[in-house]
């Protein structure tokens, strides 16, 4: 036994108190090159179960392999014999909730922020931190990124990288995570404080002495203050909401340099500074917009085979902001496959574990089958890192947590099957017998949500919800996808000149043949036939959510009376049925507006139908959202001027009724 009790031992002892008659379980660190640093072996004989691994980390994973197997069996002891090693060497969670205990989207979601500087200073004293870390252990996560700033333009001021005042807490948290085999990273921007608002772009330049001096000082500082840090995850300088302006830089220091040369120098310089103390660099290529997507593809293809060994490029798995339900995957996938790189591929896809773009966790949706395909492709290409992005930490029984569990298990073994993983999660968190029902509902929600918040391959909601502003006339098809002046009606929907050309010829042909993405690949005149086709899609969504609700109602006998897990899932699905109806009715208004046949009377009739007493709907389609949309559309129709600004992230009403969190069990 190590001088300090291993986390694997303490976690098993903590859980096993609820078991009767189990065999002893031993944990031992044993050299075994075939298991790497994360693998483990479990063997059971007539006397005991033994867990062996070369590292503390592997022992923790072995402990949770047994714990989860016992939990699935109804807290009965299960004997195991297995050897496991991971497919992706680096499996990271990157939380978007900030250290000041806020997160980007207003608390109308009524879900917990993940971590704060107060509770990471003494993690053992925080039940919420312990619940979160135990989820990471079950998911077999070995790296975690903290965030303070996310999108630079959102901040009124900036204490560079914003972490200095938290160094004490971060240092404690770093040591605590290391006991679990988790390396801590910090997320920050590449741009030094002097120009953090990117007004000039000059200090992005890696050839500029200001840039070099800043990064030399900052690297020295974190070496001294946070010696156990695993590395940095940096918003790159390709442009967009989170990055800098290196692509546009024309300063005297980078004159004559290509954009790729500038980015490569930036990465090499920072990675070199971090490598002095064996820290890693994750460099985020994300630009957050298809109009800049070519930059992400250019850099990935140019640099993937010539990066320093401690550097990895990260990107969002979808070409438009985590919208897996309908949009195609990022073009980097097929382009990297076409390049046929061999050996290590330093590319890491980010996947959003909380459905910001899939209905904010309020519309039931599940992307696990999509992730299974994408992660299998990345593993086959030799990618060595995968990143999951949680923004909040729901109740253990919230259906969004099924995605956490399945994502982590797929990051460990891409050969596992989504339905099996969702059944495992159900058996851990729901009564016996529900595993025959829940996976079908979760997997079926993909198509229901897709038909609700997409139209012919185009997003018909902003961030998975109605966007109540005149920009809704534009952003109902996403801010990128519109033609003409969005302040007045126009009669064409779809695109025919956007970044579909970034895909390989083969993948582009497949996308263009997909009938569910017909507006994404070609512009169409709004005709009665198109209107009917899109309305049929919305009617299908209503029917699909209705069928999912009916399926869940059959599970009632499996629960004790008043069980919050059954009730909350039932209420969620009821709201989703009404959400689908409201999306359908608002889209009718939208399409008629652009066909030039909308009347004020139809708007007023829709208001009377939807507003006021009605069946339960979620914040996605609440009275305030629908009312604002209808009223502003009426004003557009009548050419009445009005203020165009509406911040739907902060001014929507807050949820006050009890939510999922009331029944949370700290496990």
């Amino acid at each position: 036994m190590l001088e300090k009790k291993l986390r694997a031992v303490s976690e098993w002892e903590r859980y096993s108190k609820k078991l009767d008659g189990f065999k002893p379980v031993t944990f031992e660190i044993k050299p075994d090159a075939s298991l790497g640093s994360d693998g483990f072996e479990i063997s059971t004989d007539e006397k005991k179960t033994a867990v062996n691994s070369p590292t503390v980390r592997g022992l923790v994973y072995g402990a949770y392999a047994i714990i989860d197997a016992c939990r699935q069996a109804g807290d009965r002891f299960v004997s195991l014999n297995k050897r496991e090693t991971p497919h992706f060497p680096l499996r990271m969670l990157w939380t978007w909730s900030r250290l000041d205990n806020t997160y980007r989207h207003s608390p109308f979601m009524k879900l917990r922020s993940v971590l704060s500087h107060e509770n990471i200073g003494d993690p053992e004293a925080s039940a919420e931190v312990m619940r979160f870390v135990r989820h990471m252990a079950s998911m077999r996560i070995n790296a975690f990124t903290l965030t303070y700033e996310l999108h630079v333009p959102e901040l009124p001021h900036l204490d560079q990288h914003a972490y200095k005042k938290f160094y004490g807490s971060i240092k404690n948290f770093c040591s605590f995570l290391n006991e679990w085999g988790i390396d801590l990273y910090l997320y920050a921007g590449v741009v030094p404080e002097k120009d953090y608002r990117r007004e000039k772009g000059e200090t992005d330049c890696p050839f500029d002495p200001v840039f070099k001096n800043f990064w030399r000082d900052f690297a020295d500082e974190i070496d001294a203050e946070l010696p156990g840090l695993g590395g940095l995850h940096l918003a790159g300088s390709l442009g967009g909401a989170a990055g800098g302006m290196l692509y546009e830089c024309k300063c005297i220091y980078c004159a004559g340099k290509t954009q790729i040369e500038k980015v490569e120098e930036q990465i090499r310089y920072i990675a070199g500074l971090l490598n002095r103390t064996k820290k890693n660099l994750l460099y985020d290529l994300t630009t957050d917009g298809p109009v800049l997507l070519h930059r992400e593809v250019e850099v990935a293809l140019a640099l993937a085979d010539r990066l320093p060994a401690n550097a990895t490029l990260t990107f969002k798995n979808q070409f438009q902001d985590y919208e897996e339900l309908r949009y195609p995957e990022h073009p980097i996938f097929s382009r990297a496959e076409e390049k046929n790189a061999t050996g290590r591929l330093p590319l890491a896809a980010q996947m959003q574990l909380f459905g910001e773009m899939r209905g904010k966790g309020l519309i039931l949706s599940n992307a696990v089958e999509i992730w299974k395909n994408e992660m299998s492709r990345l593993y086959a290409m030799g990618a060595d890192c995968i990143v999951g992005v949680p923004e909040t930490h729901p109740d253990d029984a919230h259906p969004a947590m099924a995605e956490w569990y399945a994502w982590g298990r797929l990051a460990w073994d891409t050969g596992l099957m989504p339905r099996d993983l969702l059944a495992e999660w159900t058996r851990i968190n729901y009564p016996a017998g529900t595993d025959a029902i829940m996976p079908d509902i979760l997997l079926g929600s993909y198509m229901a949500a897709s038909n609700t918040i997409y139209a012919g391959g185009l997003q018909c909601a902003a961030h998975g919800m109605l966007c109540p502003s005149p920009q809704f006339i534009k952003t109902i098809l996403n801010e990128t996808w519109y033609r003409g002046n969005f302040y007045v009606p126009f009669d064409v929907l779809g695109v025919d000149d956007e970044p579909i050309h970034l895909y390989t010829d083969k993948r582009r042909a497949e996308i263009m043949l997909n009938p569910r993405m017909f507006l994404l690949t070609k512009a169409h005149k709004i005709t009665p036939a198109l209107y009917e086709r899109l309305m049929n899609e919305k009617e299908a969504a209503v029917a699909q959510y209705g069928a999912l609700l009916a399926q869940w109602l059959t599970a009632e006998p499996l629960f004790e009376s008043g069980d919050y897990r059954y009730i909350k899932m039932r209420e969620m699905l009821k709201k989703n049925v009404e959400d689908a109806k409201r999306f359908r009715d608002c889209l009718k208004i939208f399409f008629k507006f652009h066909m030039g046949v909308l009347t004020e009377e139809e708007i007023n009739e829709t208001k009377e139908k939807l507003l006021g007493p009605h069946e339960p709907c979620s914040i996605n389609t609440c009275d305030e959202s629908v009312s604002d949309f209808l009223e502003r559309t009426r004003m557009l129709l009548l050419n009445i001027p009005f203020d165009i600004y509406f911040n739907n992230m902060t001014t929507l009403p807050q949820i006050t009724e009890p939510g999922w969190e009331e029944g949370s069990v700290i496990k």
Side-chain angles (χ1 to χ4, degrees), residues 295-518:
R295 299 180 181 182
E296 302 177 34
V297 176
E298 287 168 1
V299 173
L301 295 180
L303 300 185
D305 57 358
R306 61 179 200 243
L307 288 177
N310 67 326
T312 298
L313 305 175
T314 71
F315 61 96
K316 292 183 177 180
N317 64 322
Q318 298 304 117
F319 93 107
Q320 175 59 30
D321 213 7
Y322 298 121
E323 293 166 14
E324 297 102 333
L325 296 184
R326 187 70 71 84
Y327 287 156
E329 79 291 340
H330 199 296
I332 283 177
F333 281 86
S334 57
R335 294 292 296 277
E337 287 171 327
E338 184 180 63
K339 190 174 180 179
N340 196 27
T342 58
R344 173 183 183 252
L345 181 68
L347 294 177
Q350 306 161 12
M351 298 170 180
Q352 193 178 64
L353 305 189
F354 181 78
E356 174 198 359
M357 302 299 178
R358 304 190 298 273
K360 291 191 177 296
L362 302 171
I363 289 180
L364 182 63
S365 61
N366 189 284
V368 171
E369 288 186 308
I370 301 167
W371 294 343
K372 155 76 175 176
N373 174 57
E374 293 175 347
M375 293 164 86
S376 297
R377 293 172 67 183
L378 288 166
Y379 173 62
M381 286 189 281
D384 58 2
C385 176
I386 200 80
V387 181
V389 180
E391 188 173 3
T392 61
H393 190 202
D395 172 87
D396 291 352
H398 193 295
M401 293 304 289
E403 293 183 299
W404 287 46
Y405 179 84
W407 182 89
R409 301 292 286 111
L410 285 168
W412 181 266
D413 182 353
T414 59
L416 299 173
M417 301 308 295
R419 182 177 297 278
D420 295 339
L421 294 172
L422 296 176
E424 287 180 16
W425 176 83
T426 303
R427 288 193 290 270
I428 290 172
N429 293 284
Y430 280 78
T434 50
D435 59 335
I437 300 172
M438 180 70 87
D440 286 337
I441 293 176
L442 293 173
L443 294 173
S445 69
Y446 151 66
M447 189 64 74
S450 172
N451 284 336
T452 297
I453 60 179
Y454 289 82
L458 298 178
Q459 188 188 39
C460 60
H463 289 230
M465 63 191 301
L466 297 179
C467 184
S469 74
Q471 280 200 287
F472 183 58
I473 304 303
K474 177 180 68 166
T475 60
I476 193 169
L477 299 178
N478 194 291
E479 64 273 14
T480 305
W481 310 124
Y482 72 96
R483 296 168 63 90
N485 184 341
F486 64 85
Y487 292 107
V488 297
F490 52 89
D491 62 357
V492 174
L493 293 179
V495 294
D496 53 12
D497 57 353
E498 291 295 346
I500 193 170
H501 69 276
L502 293 173
Y503 293 88
T504 62
D505 292 344
K506 179 177 181 293
R507 182 60 181 133
R508 183 166 59 250
E510 291 171 351
I511 294 169
M512 295 186 75
L513 289 174
N514 188 333
R516 289 175 59 75
M517 290 189 277
F518 69 99

Side-chain angles (χ1 to χ4, degrees), residues 521-557:
T521 57
K522 185 178 180 181
H524 292 258
K525 187 176 180 61
I526 306 179
T527 62
L530 177 60
Y531 171 79
E532 182 179 4
R533 180 176 182 178
L534 296 174
M535 285 299 99
N536 286 340
E537 188 175 69
K538 302 307 133 191
E539 293 291 353
V542 175
Q544 287 162 340
Y545 272 122
L548 297 181
L549 172 60
Q551 234 178 327
W552 183 246
L553 294 178
T554 67
E556 184 174 11

Side-chain angles (χ1 to χ4, degrees), residues 1 67 72-73 75 107 117 156 161 181 196 198 216 226 244 268 318 357 364 409 419 422 427 489 514 525 601 621 625:
M1 177 66 65
I67 290 171
Q72 289 181 59
D75 290 324
H117 68 277
H161 298 307
Y196 80 94
R198 303 172 298 152
R216 189 182 305 113
L226 303 170
R268 286 190 174 278
Q318 298 304 117
M357 302 299 178
L364 182 63
R409 301 292 286 111
R419 182 177 297 278
L422 296 176
R427 288 193 290 270
N514 188 333
K525 187 176 180 61
E601 181 181 9
T621 58
S625 294

Side-chain angles (χ1 to χ4, degrees), residues 43 50 85 104 191 196 221 230 232 288 322 332 342 354 370 372 386 389 478 495 533 568 594 632 635 652 667:
S43 58
T85 56
R104 288 183 57 233
V191 186
Y196 80 94
E221 183 177 300
L232 297 176
D288 265 336
Y322 298 121
I332 283 177
T342 58
F354 181 78
I370 301 167
K372 155 76 175 176
I386 200 80
V389 180
N478 194 291
V495 294
R533 180 176 182 178
K568 293 304 177 187
H594 288 296
R632 294 174 189 225
M635 296 171 79
L652 285 176
K667 296 179 179 176

